[in-house]
Amino acid sequence: MGTRYLESLFNPDSIVIAGASERTDSLGGMVLRNLMGGGFPGKLLVINRNEYQTVHGVPCVPKVAKMPFKPDLAIVCTPPDTVPRMVRQLGEAGVRTAIVMTGGMSRAHSKTGQPLMYSVRDAAREAGIRVLGPNTIGLMVPFRSLNATYAHMGAIPGKVAFVGQSGTVASSIIDWAFARGVGFSHFLTLGDGMDIGHDDLIDYLAQDTRCRAILLHIENIPNPRRFMSAVRVASRTKPVIAVKSGRVPESEWMPAERPIGVTRTDPIYNAVLRRAGVLRVDGLSQMFDALESLTRMRPVRREELVIMANGVGPGVLAVDRLAALDGELASLSSDTIDALANHLPSYWTRKNPIDLNYDASPELYAEAIRILAKDSNVSNVLVMYAPSLTEDSLQIADAVVQAAKGTRLNIFTCWLGQATVLDARDEFYRAGIPSFFSPEKAVKAFMQHVHHQRVQRLLRETPESFTDHYADRALARKIVMKAHRSGRNHLSNSEARAVIADYGIRTVDTVYCDDVDGVVESFQVERRPIDVTLIHERGCHPFLEEQTGRGRYKSTIQGLNSESAIIESCNVLMEEYRAHFPRSGFLGFAVQRTYQHLGGIAFSTGITRDALFGPLVVCGAAGASVNVMTDRQIALPPLNMVLAKELLRRTYMYRLLREYSLQPEDDIRAICETLVTLSQIVIDIPQIKGLEILPLLFDRDGAVAVDVAIDLAREPGRPIIQPYPRELEEWVVLPKSGRKVIVRPVLAEDEPAHLEFHQRQSPESIRYRFFQYRKHFSHEDVAQMVQIDYDREMVFIANAEREDGKGEETLGTVRVWTDADNLQCEFAVMVRDHLKGEGLGYILMRKMIDYCRSRGTVEMIGNVLPDNQPMLNLARNLGFQLTYNMEEDVMDLRLPLNEPETDWQREKLRG
């Protein structure tokens, strides 16, 4: 639904509470007391049918029609059966936002039999009112003195937003955060989330400058596509930390059906949050530790850690935890070791972790930090202290704070104990230095910081080009659509092989035989050892062994080199088939040569589909070991080579591949290419529901699929991440030069050409585009330009073959950023200097205008420098309205694309 009317939720000037009374157990009365106690500066009004004159001194009216003014926000605390009617009346009276705190609406039912919470949703949609809840704790905005909750205490002002789902969990978080000195910019829970959801709130908070970090407590994600799009935008500018509860079926409120090939749904949420750039933590305690590290630690330039303490024990505990989390100790330079040796006992270990001895003084702590700061190998330092009779913890803390001020080091601390170190921890808090209660917590928080930066770097990394976006896979589509139209729910073994072969995945040559005699005849032709597989209908479905148990039956016998062995083996396979699949139709035998040179680490790769999250790419071990090691990892399509390698690295088999493969780098690339190809297959042919290659083996030329199975679905599957929109590609010919140019959406792989495009522009063109002179564009700058979310942004580039024939070059680009409500989009355009007069700028702008108009965007806007006459002339030709902005000294450009459909859109555009 977007951010429509959320301003009146977070910044109301007037509030009405429906159902408040002076009874001590009145829910509305609790909310009213919190509003008054928090010092809300706006108007308050109560609705209560008992016709009170006032409630706690606040004016009261008996019904909505009697309200003396139109409030910005309504809070509904009336009995469940009255809520839908109350919401409808408030909306009809012009109230734009309501918080429904009434609980039990998922269990109470309307006359139609549906839960009342759906009646609330329907009433809200009909009346045009946004609803938070039902069953929400409410909302706090401390800097606005707004406490519209029934919580036992208010939150202190801060820069962190919390969006939860459980009111009881939220109450404990407020208490916990207060004790740790954590303040909030916004604090609320969704409750049943019938209207306003995580995605709407994240869109709003991403734009709010008072919010520096977002904490999420998630039980489910009803709209994954919008959630993913919103969080990807937010996580680029501020940390997003999430706790997902309901990790196992026993703790899920509404257990979801698992997709085939996946043993638990929780790894799917892992894949979603990782792809969105979110740091997922295991619980509320870790959430605040992660918040401490992400908001107070400096960016990690190196990932290695130095540990120093006034004793061996704390350092050993920290090293153990670091090793368990795959962290690394930093190596100290010889100069650093010698410098430290001048201040430490002769028996110190001369390595990291550094034991300062039990009697370490404040001066020694400070001097050790200064020495470490001179070591280029050192970037991160965990400073620990255990209470000692010889030194004062606060004095040592002061020394660490002072030493940290003048250093480049990323310093965080752990003062062990409780009673005698509280003042020291407060000192670190005031100085902005993260401090933790135990070595384990400190190291875990640091590694969360490291992992978060890894994910952010991963999302900005430039992938190498692999997928051929111009290739036509007509044969594969024809095979699938023919089977789909005939009503079949799977492909035959030969059809499945043909599909992946059409996409360039190599398969083992296979001959199909109807009976044993056919197998013998095939052997007589080959006169070399063969492998025989029995094919039956159930065996043509992917992930069959996940359902029947791996290794419990034999379907293939290998290395047969005589007619008698073949006949005997086929009989064994028939017995196995009759014992385990008596109702599955027999389809014959598949015969393959026994490839002596085919082997290596066996992988299972494929596609499955979740009812909520759509297609998923899976990768892991093949064979009986997959269940034991739970090695199957999940990623969301579309994939590129970077994302495919990240998926592969998460498998246990990746370690085996690196250690035992004869050509590990070649095999890793081959698997990644296969994963990217599978991702493209399910995007191009959305009727494919499941696909499994089992096993994927290797030869000297790369990966080879030994067997493959494909399932089909009645309805096409749609990825929750918008894939590359190939349908927007268009070829044009430049009128003067006659050069053939493709205008298409940008890809992450376009980064090198995009960087070169900007580097070759004149200083004046750069100033016109960026409103300043820029000599340098970093990898991060250009990565952000080309790695876009096609749901929220669009970039069209004009590419042509280089004159020397070596690849493509970028000649022009146009981009738009669209707000979360698809109300306005802001454009920017730039064309190579030597192409002025070719009309390329007009071609790019016209294409972008048509695209934005087709997706329902209401208005296109832009800013142009007053002396940029070529752009101003182009804008006039395209129909833009031009207005001089004296305050900013720019020309404001505005082009209506579609008529506003609602009053809210018209109000927003006027504002």
Side-chain angles (χ1 to χ4, degrees):
M1 294 283 292
T3 62
R4 179 171 62 92
Y5 297 136
L6 292 192
E7 193 64 29
S8 63
L9 175 70
F10 289 108
N11 294 297
D13 291 322
S14 54
I15 300 175
V16 61
I17 304 97
S21 73
E22 295 187 3
R23 295 195 331 269
T24 56
D25 62 346
S26 166
L27 178 61
M30 298 177 199
V31 176
L32 180 58
R33 290 194 297 273
N34 275 345
L35 281 167
M36 298 171 67
F40 177 66
K43 292 182 182 180
L44 292 174
L45 181 68
V46 172
I47 299 175
N48 192 308
R49 61 186 178 183
N50 290 325
E51 301 189 2
Y52 301 122
Q53 293 298 309
T54 62
V55 175
H56 292 305
V58 174
C60 179
V61 296
K63 53 187 178 181
V64 172
K66 296 291 186 180
M67 292 190 303
F69 59 88
K70 183 177 73 174
D72 296 324
L73 173 65
I75 300 173
V76 180
C77 305
T78 59
D81 59 333
T82 67
V83 173
R85 182 181 178 190
M86 177 62 70
V87 167
R88 182 177 286 104
Q89 289 176 347
L90 288 166
E92 291 170 351
V95 180
R96 294 308 181 202
T97 312
I99 301 175
V100 178
M101 295 189 176
T102 305
M105 302 193 71
S106 62
R107 295 180 292 274
H109 292 74
S110 67
K111 293 179 181 179
T112 62
Q114 70 173 352
L116 279 172
M117 62 183 185
Y118 295 111
S119 299
V120 172
R121 179 198 62 190
D122 297 342
R125 289 177 178 174
E126 292 167 8
I129 182 173
R130 299 302 305 274
V131 171
L132 178 66
N135 196 28
T136 171
I137 194 175
L139 164 74
M140 293 186 198
V141 186
F143 68 86
R144 285 271 295 149
S145 300
L146 175 61
N147 180 1
T149 71
Y150 57 80
H152 66 295
M153 64 186 299
I156 60 177
K159 298 178 181 179
V160 179
F162 174 80
V163 180
Q165 288 196 259
S166 166
T168 51
V169 170
S171 293
S172 64
I173 287 176
I174 296 171
D175 207 308
W176 200 349
F178 185 86
R180 298 181 67 156
V182 176
F184 293 95
S185 60
H186 308 77
F187 189 98
L188 70 159
T189 66
L190 297 175
D192 294 325
M194 284 293 97
D195 174 30
I196 296 173
H198 277 112
D199 44 284
D200 305 316
L201 297 169
I202 292 167
D203 275 329
Y204 181 91
L205 295 170
Q207 303 170 43
D208 195 313
T209 56
R210 295 184 184 90
C211 169
R212 300 290 180 84
I214 301 174
L215 306 183
L216 302 175
H217 171 222
I218 300 169
E219 293 177 353
N220 54 67
I221 302 175
N223 192 335
R225 191 182 183 93
R226 269 197 51 80
F227 175 86
M228 174 66 76
S229 186
V231 176
R232 289 175 78 189
V233 171
S235 66
R236 289 183 181 181
T237 58
K238 55 192 71 175
V240 181
I241 305 169
V243 171
K244 166 65 175 70
S245 55
R247 304 188 67 152
V248 295
E250 293 81 2
S251 64
E252 288 180 318
W253 180 252
M254 297 180 64
E257 181 182 353
R258 297 189 300 271
I260 58 170
V262 176
T263 56
R264 294 186 300 124
T265 58
D266 192 63
I268 301 175
Y269 283 90
N270 263 341
V272 171
L273 296 174
R274 182 184 295 108
R275 187 69 175 269
V278 175
L279 173 61
R280 182 179 182 181
V281 295
D282 291 335
L284 300 179
S285 177
Q286 282 192 18
M287 174 183 279
F288 284 106
D289 289 341
L291 177 66
E292 182 93 349
S293 64
L294 291 181
T295 57
R296 289 174 176 263
M297 280 188 193
R298 298 175 182 177
V300 175
R301 294 184 298 109
R302 299 173 62 104
E303 295 184 356
E304 300 87 354
L305 179 63
V306 170
I307 299 169
M308 54 186 279
N310 62 335
V312 175
V316 171
L317 289 172
V319 171
D320 284 344
R321 187 60 171 154
L322 186 69
L325 297 172
D326 294 327
E328 295 183 33
L329 285 171
S331 298
L332 304 178
S333 69
S334 57
D335 290 343
T336 298
I337 293 173
D338 292 340
L340 288 170
N342 293 329
H343 302 276
L344 297 177
S346 58
Y347 52 79
W348 86 288
T349 59
R350 300 180 68 84
K351 65 179 182 179
N352 183 17
I354 302 167
D355 175 15
L356 299 178
N357 213 26
Y358 74 95
D359 59 351
S361 65
E363 293 76 19
L364 178 56
Y365 268 89
E367 183 61 25
I369 291 173
R370 285 191 286 268
I371 291 171
L372 292 171
K374 298 176 183 178
D375 191 335
S376 59
N377 294 333
V378 177
S379 178
N380 313 291
V381 181
L382 169 58
V383 182
M384 294 196 291
Y385 169 81
S388 165
L389 188 62
T390 62
E391 299 296 337
D392 181 84
S393 67
L394 182 57
Q395 290 180 359
I396 293 179
D398 287 335
V400 171
V401 168
Q402 295 306 316
K405 285 181 179 178
T407 178
R408 61 174 178 79
L409 296 176
N410 184 25
I411 292 176
F412 58 110
T413 67
C414 171
W415 256 226
L416 289 87
Q418 185 70 13
T420 62
V421 299
L422 291 177
D423 290 342
R425 289 190 188 132
D426 289 340
E427 181 71 14
F428 289 128
Y429 177 77
R430 288 189 292 271
I433 296 176
S435 187
F436 302 92
F437 287 70
S438 69
E440 295 83 4
K441 279 182 171 289
V443 172
K444 177 66 174 179
F446 169 71
M447 289 306 298
Q448 285 172 336
H449 194 35
V450 169
H451 289 147
H452 183 257
Q453 289 198 189
R454 284 178 185 170
V455 169
Q456 292 297 320
R457 284 198 302 269
L458 176 76
L459 296 177
R460 292 192 299 267
E461 193 171 332
T462 307
E464 58 179 303
S465 181
F466 168 67
T467 304
D468 184 358
H469 294 280
Y470 309 123
D472 181 15
R473 309 299 186 187
L475 175 61
R477 283 194 292 271
K478 183 178 179 180
I479 292 171
V480 171
M481 294 313 298
K482 181 180 178 181
H484 189 264
R485 283 192 297 269
S486 68
R488 289 160 51 196
N489 65 354
H490 68 277
L491 299 185
S492 68
N493 190 273
S494 60
E495 289 171 333
R497 290 178 185 277
V499 167
I500 65 171
D502 194 38
Y503 274 82
I505 298 176
R506 294 191 302 134
T507 63
V508 176
D509 293 337
T510 304
V511 175
Y512 295 95
C513 306
D514 294 330
D515 50 30
V516 177
D517 292 339
V519 177
V520 172
E521 289 177 12
S522 177
F523 171 73
Q524 291 172 343
V525 172
E526 290 287 338
R527 283 298 170 189
R528 64 180 66 189
I530 61 172
D531 302 338
V532 179
T533 300
L534 186 146
I535 303 175
H536 56 95
E537 288 184 355
R538 280 198 65 189
C540 292
H541 293 274
F543 308 107
L544 174 65
E545 293 188 1
E546 304 297 325
Q547 305 163 50
T548 58
R550 289 186 177 275
R552 295 182 183 175
Y553 67 94
K554 185 179 289 293
S555 61
T556 300
I557 298 179
Q558 299 176 324
L560 303 177
N561 57 8
S562 69
E563 294 181 10
S564 60
I566 290 170
I567 294 171
E568 181 181 351
S569 297
C570 288
N571 290 333
V572 169
L573 292 178
M574 288 297 294
E575 291 174 6
E576 289 280 307
Y577 154 68
R578 292 189 184 104
H580 291 93
F581 305 101
R583 298 182 181 179
S584 177
F586 174 73
L587 299 177
F589 296 95
V591 178
Q592 299 170 341
R593 291 181 182 177
T594 298
Y595 282 83
Q596 300 296 327
H597 59 279
L598 189 64
I601 307 297
F603 278 82
S604 166
T605 62
I607 298 290
T608 187
R609 185 193 295 185
D610 183 78
L612 184 63
F613 294 98
L616 306 168
V617 181
V618 298
C619 177
S625 58
V626 72
N627 285 336
V628 177
M629 297 187 299
T630 61
D631 192 44
R632 179 158 290 155
Q633 299 297 316
I634 298 171
L636 302 176
L639 294 181
N640 55 36
M641 291 294 282
V642 169
L643 295 170
K645 192 169 185 179
E646 189 274 334
L647 168 61
L648 178 61
R649 278 175 176 159
R650 286 188 271 123
T651 67
Y652 176 75
M653 302 305 286
Y654 174 78
R655 301 178 191 176
L656 298 182
L657 192 67
R658 290 203 63 84
E659 188 168 348
Y660 295 109
S661 172
L662 296 178
Q663 44 187 20
E665 295 304 323
D666 292 342
D667 289 351
I668 288 169
R669 178 179 175 82
I671 297 176
C672 291
E673 289 177 351
T674 303
L675 293 171
V676 173
T677 302
L678 292 175
S679 164
Q680 193 62 44
I681 288 174
V682 80
I683 289 168
D684 291 346
I685 314 175
Q687 288 76 19
I688 291 178
K689 181 181 180 181
L691 184 158
E692 183 185 24
I693 296 175
L694 180 71
L696 185 73
L697 294 175
F698 304 91
D699 64 12
R700 284 172 292 183
D701 297 322
V704 181
V706 176
D707 200 5
V708 60
I710 294 178
D711 261 351
L712 305 180
R714 292 183 180 179
E715 300 296 328
R718 188 184 185 197
I720 65 170
I721 299 175
Q722 173 69 33
Y724 175 76
R726 185 185 302 178
E727 68 277 5
L728 296 176
E729 294 175 350
E730 177 185 358
W731 288 94
V732 298
V733 177
L734 299 183
K736 289 186 176 180
S737 62
R739 201 170 182 185
K740 192 177 181 182
V741 174
I742 184 171
V743 180
R744 61 168 175 83
V746 74
L747 288 158
E749 294 90 333
D750 290 316
E751 183 185 330
H754 217 69
L755 175 60
E756 181 187 9
F757 168 72
H758 284 81
Q759 289 173 336
R760 295 178 65 177
Q761 292 295 89
S762 68
E764 200 66 8
S765 292
I766 294 295
R767 183 178 74 87
Y768 283 153
R769 166 63 179 83
F770 296 99
F771 289 27
Q772 61 179 340
Y773 292 109
R774 293 183 62 174
K775 295 182 178 180
H776 175 71
F777 291 88
S778 67
H779 158 68
E780 287 75 16
D781 293 333
V782 183
Q784 195 160 351
M785 295 179 189
V786 299
Q787 297 184 21
I788 66 169
D789 180 352
Y790 296 118
D791 272 331
R792 296 290 181 92
E793 304 170 74
M794 180 51 71
V795 178
F796 290 127
I797 58 172
N799 275 20
E801 187 177 349
R802 296 178 185 274
E803 293 180 358
D804 60 7
K806 297 179 179 179
E808 290 185 348
E809 62 178 341
T810 298
L811 306 180
T813 176
V814 60
R815 69 177 55 241
V816 293
W817 301 265
T818 306
D819 62 39
D821 305 296
N822 198 26
L823 188 64
Q824 286 183 322
C825 63
E826 184 174 358
F827 79 89
V829 63
M830 186 163 62
V831 174
R832 284 273 289 274
D833 292 324
H834 73 281
L835 292 175
K836 300 294 189 327
E838 286 275 20
L840 185 57
Y842 182 88
I843 291 171
L844 289 168
M845 284 295 298
R846 187 76 263 167
K847 185 173 182 67
M848 186 62 79
I849 290 169
D850 292 343
Y851 167 77
C852 294
R853 182 174 282 129
S854 69
R855 67 190 303 269
T857 309
V858 177
E859 187 175 72
M860 181 178 285
I861 61 173
N863 300 120
V864 177
L865 291 174
D867 60 336
N868 189 355
Q869 286 302 319
M871 184 63 233
L872 294 175
N873 290 336
L874 174 60
R876 291 188 186 96
N877 291 338
L878 290 167
F880 279 87
Q881 303 166 10
L882 279 62
T883 306
Y884 178 61
N885 184 330
M886 293 182 61
E887 185 176 344
E888 301 289 338
D889 189 28
V890 295
M891 300 296 293
D892 290 337
L893 276 57
R894 192 175 300 272
L895 177 67
L897 300 176
N898 292 287
E899 284 295 319
E901 295 180 353
T902 65
D903 292 339
W904 174 80
Q905 288 182 330
R906 284 183 278 272
E907 291 170 16
K908 188 88 171 180
L909 290 173
R910 283 196 297 268

